[in-house]
Amino acid sequence: MKIDILSLFPEFVEAFFNQSMIKRALEAGLMEMAVTNPRDFTKSRHRQADDTIYGGGAGMLMMCQPLFDACHHVLPEKGKRDRVIFLSPAGETFTQDKAKELYRDYDHLVLICGHYEGVDHRVEEHLADELISIGDYVLTGGELGAMVISDAVARMVPGVLGDAGSAATDSFYEPILEYPQYTKPYDYNGWKVPDVLLSGHHANIARWRRKEALRRTLHHRPDLFGKLILSGEDKKLMAEIREEEKEE
């Protein structure tokens, strides 16, 4: 997997490349990530990458030419397993399912970060394959969104997490929250770790974890719970949960 990020603020993105999980993955050659500054492709001697808005309006808009040229530099010949993504509030909301799709269907992602008042619409119309939003709120630029997508996709690359099972047990890998987890001390202010986790009985521990994951999802994210396909065992666990909560 290769990820290229187009950003006017490469130092911001480079700091992300140097954090623990991503840094180890890059050093081990498990994946490639790079940041490219569209200013390096501007035709202005002042390296101008933005300009005033046609028709009037406050602020400045990123020009399309530097972004097109920067994208063509990192992706000279586009194939079926290459994907150009523009970070935009108009895009599809990013989810774990989308992260899995990007990892499964593509080998090279190019993430375009907007800034200032936005980007010339021709980038959205003629350069990007799709638009993605990380949520319904306003940020200064697309860099944070690009890092969110990169991190979520990187976690699925074999070897990046070190533990092959870690990604599959994360919250949202399926539409269920992760089960509660504990570490030392066993007793803190009278709040004790559930005894089953100290039992050494792996089947009982696995059953408890699934049950508590179902319980957490039901209470904290009923929207996710509604999407979950319950197995026969899950239905038994849910019956136990309802009976327990009826007695409280």
Side-chain angles (χ1 to χ4, degrees):
M1 171 63 72
K2 181 178 182 181
I3 299 177
D4 277 294
I5 299 175
L6 307 187
S7 168
L8 293 176
F9 300 91
E11 64 282 355
F12 187 26
V13 180
E14 287 165 353
F16 166 68
F17 294 162
N18 287 319
Q19 66 94 6
S20 59
M21 180 192 79
I22 299 297
K23 183 179 181 180
R24 289 195 301 270
L26 297 178
E27 289 176 346
L30 298 173
M31 60 185 306
E32 297 178 59
M33 287 190 188
V35 59
T36 299
N37 191 341
R39 287 190 195 280
D40 295 337
F41 298 86
T42 182
K43 298 186 183 301
S44 164
R45 61 191 179 94
H46 300 296
R47 302 182 75 232
Q48 183 178 350
D50 61 326
D51 212 327
T52 54
I53 302 170
Y54 279 123
M60 306 282 276
L61 205 65
M62 286 182 67
M63 302 160 68
C64 59
Q65 174 269 314
L67 286 168
F68 271 80
D69 288 357
C71 186
H72 294 152
H73 174 75
V74 301
L75 190 58
E77 294 184 16
K78 188 177 175 188
K80 291 183 178 179
R81 293 190 63 82
D82 301 318
R83 194 72 165 169
V84 179
I85 297 167
F86 176 46
L87 280 298
S88 166
E92 173 187 352
T93 302
F94 188 65
T95 63
Q96 184 66 35
D97 283 342
K98 187 64 180 181
K100 288 191 281 187
E101 175 193 318
L102 294 176
Y103 172 68
R104 180 189 68 233
D105 294 347
Y106 304 102
D107 299 321
H108 188 182
L109 304 178
V110 180
L111 308 179
I112 303 174
C113 304
H115 223 80
Y116 306 122
E117 289 301 316
V119 174
D120 187 301
H121 189 62
R122 287 166 287 192
V123 169
E124 179 179 318
E125 281 192 306
H126 303 293
L127 182 59
D129 296 310
E130 67 175 306
L131 282 58
I132 291 180
S133 167
I134 62 165
D136 293 337
Y137 40 82
V138 180
L139 298 173
T140 305
E143 286 77 13
L144 288 171
M147 287 185 266
V148 166
I149 293 172
S150 299
D151 191 281
V153 172
R155 294 176 66 84
M156 284 177 282
V157 175
V160 167
L161 293 182
D163 178 353
S166 294
T169 59
D170 282 343
S171 295
F172 306 116
Y173 198 85
E174 61 172 320
I176 187 170
L177 298 179
E178 193 171 16
Y179 48 78
Q181 299 191 75
Y182 301 85
T183 187
K184 296 179 179 66
Y186 164 70
D187 186 334
Y188 180 70
N189 285 348
W191 304 314
K192 297 178 181 179
V193 176
D195 288 336
V196 64
L197 298 179
L198 284 72
S199 68
H201 194 298
H202 298 300
N204 287 350
I205 291 172
R207 189 176 191 277
W208 180 89
R209 285 175 168 171
R210 183 67 181 184
K211 182 177 178 179
E212 295 310 310
L214 290 167
R215 193 195 306 268
R216 284 190 79 204
T217 308
L218 177 66
H219 293 319
H220 295 288
R221 290 295 305 273
D223 56 319
L224 285 179
F225 189 85
K227 300 175 184 178
L228 188 62
I229 299 174
L230 298 178
S231 67
E233 181 61 23
D234 287 340
K235 292 175 182 177
K236 292 178 183 178
L237 294 173
M238 286 306 304
E240 291 179 16
I241 290 170
R242 292 189 180 98
E243 192 62 33
E244 290 167 3
E245 295 183 352
K246 191 188 302 181
E247 295 173 359
E248 289 179 356

